[in-house]
Amino acid sequence: MKIAKGVLVALTLGAVSFSALSAELLTKEAYNDHKDQYVKVGSITTSGELSPSDAKAELSKKADELGGQFYVVTSADTENKIHGTAEVYKKK
């Protein structure tokens, strides 16, 4: 459980540079504080990534493909390789 929390923190705080059009990671707290401003557009997963920054990049790419502006990580697992799931949102 500590590892999964560590991955979530790393995903949240990872200093990876993305273009201005890439979907942004949104914390659960930020989403919950303003959930009436977002519309869910889908769910995404990533698996087999070797680092938190790779997982973050893959989730952002998949969120872009769904037309989302933001994604919220809902789970992460680091058994062998990184696996994560996220919900994708856009502003209303």
Side-chain angles (χ1 to χ4, degrees), residues 33-46:
D33 288 346
H34 304 285
K35 67 173 86 179
D36 60 321
Q37 297 178 9
Y38 302 102
V39 175
K40 183 177 175 181
V41 295
S43 299
I44 52 176
T45 64
T46 185

Side-chain angles (χ1 to χ4, degrees), residues 3 11 20-21 25 27 30 38-39 49-52 66 68 82 84-85 88:
I3 292 173
L11 286 169
L21 299 177
L25 176 64
T27 65
Y38 302 102
V39 175
E49 305 303 330
L50 299 176
S51 71
L66 283 178
I82 297 172
T85 61
V88 180

Side-chain angles (χ1 to χ4, degrees), residues 24-80:
E24 296 178 31
L25 176 64
L26 189 66
T27 65
K28 287 182 183 181
E29 293 80 16
Y31 169 75
N32 286 333
D33 288 346
H34 304 285
K35 67 173 86 179
D36 60 321
Q37 297 178 9
Y38 302 102
V39 175
K40 183 177 175 181
V41 295
S43 299
I44 52 176
T45 64
T46 185
S47 62
E49 305 303 330
L50 299 176
S51 71
S53 61
D54 290 343
K56 182 179 176 183
E58 183 68 16
L59 289 171
S60 180
K61 178 183 169 190
K62 288 184 175 187
D64 287 343
E65 291 169 358
L66 283 178
Q69 297 170 303
F70 306 95
Y71 63 98
V72 178
V73 174
T74 55
S75 70
D77 182 19
T78 59
E79 194 168 323
N80 296 325

